[in-house]
Amino acid sequence: MPGHSRAELRRLPNVLSLSRVLLAVLFVPAGRAARIALICLAGATDFLDGWLARRTNTTTRWGALVDPIADRLFVLAAIVTYVLNGELSVVESLLLLSRDLATALGFVVARMVPKLRAVEFKARFPGKIVTVLQLVTLLALVVGVQPLTPFIAAVALASVLAIADYAHAVWRERAR
């Protein structure tokens, strides 16, 4: 059944993406070793879902939507956990989430501005770099690397570049 196996392949990347929502839930009560494993699993599933979808030519609109949402939920759950435990300050958490906050705001604005409604939001390379740096920073935090400032600064800098890149892409797309 070739059609059946293709449908299964189409679903697998989405299952991998959605697994990060479960990983986010598991992260909150987890201990140190489990958190390391969960962060590594989140990174692995983030890589695998996109790679598998592209490799098997089974990318879907649903997958393109679910993947970044699952990423954001995992990172948000981890960061909020560390803020509530007193291991991250609110300022540090805002720096770590700056790209996510700007992207969410940009998405809302784009939906409110008629000229921008048709612009398709897609993952871009600088944004992927931010996600990797966020996960690396979470790993550094869980293993106790000090100072954490260089990691947070790297995420903040990459976030500024990603925000500028997204804004430029939307502006270019709007001009078409």
Side-chain angles (χ1 to χ4, degrees), residues 48-114:
L48 261 177
D49 62 9
W51 179 83
L52 186 59
R54 284 186 303 277
R55 177 105 175 162
T56 60
N57 199 26
T58 56
T59 58
T60 64
R61 257 182 86 95
W62 172 250
L65 181 65
V66 169
D67 178 54
I69 290 172
D71 290 343
R72 302 296 61 81
L73 286 173
F74 181 82
V75 169
L76 182 63
I79 289 173
V80 168
T81 299
Y82 286 120
V83 168
L84 293 176
N85 289 343
E87 297 172 72
L88 268 179
S89 72
V90 171
V91 171
E92 290 170 325
S93 68
L94 290 174
L95 288 170
L96 290 172
L97 295 170
S98 59
R99 183 275 317 257
D100 305 320
L101 297 170
T103 303
L105 179 62
F107 181 80
V108 169
V109 168
R111 294 301 167 240
M112 292 172 49
V113 176

Side-chain angles (χ1 to χ4, degrees), residues 104-124:
L105 179 62
F107 181 80
V108 169
V109 168
R111 294 301 167 240
M112 292 172 49
V113 176
K115 286 184 177 181
L116 297 178
R117 283 190 190 136
V119 173
E120 186 179 347
F121 282 79
K122 296 188 238 182
R124 300 186 51 80

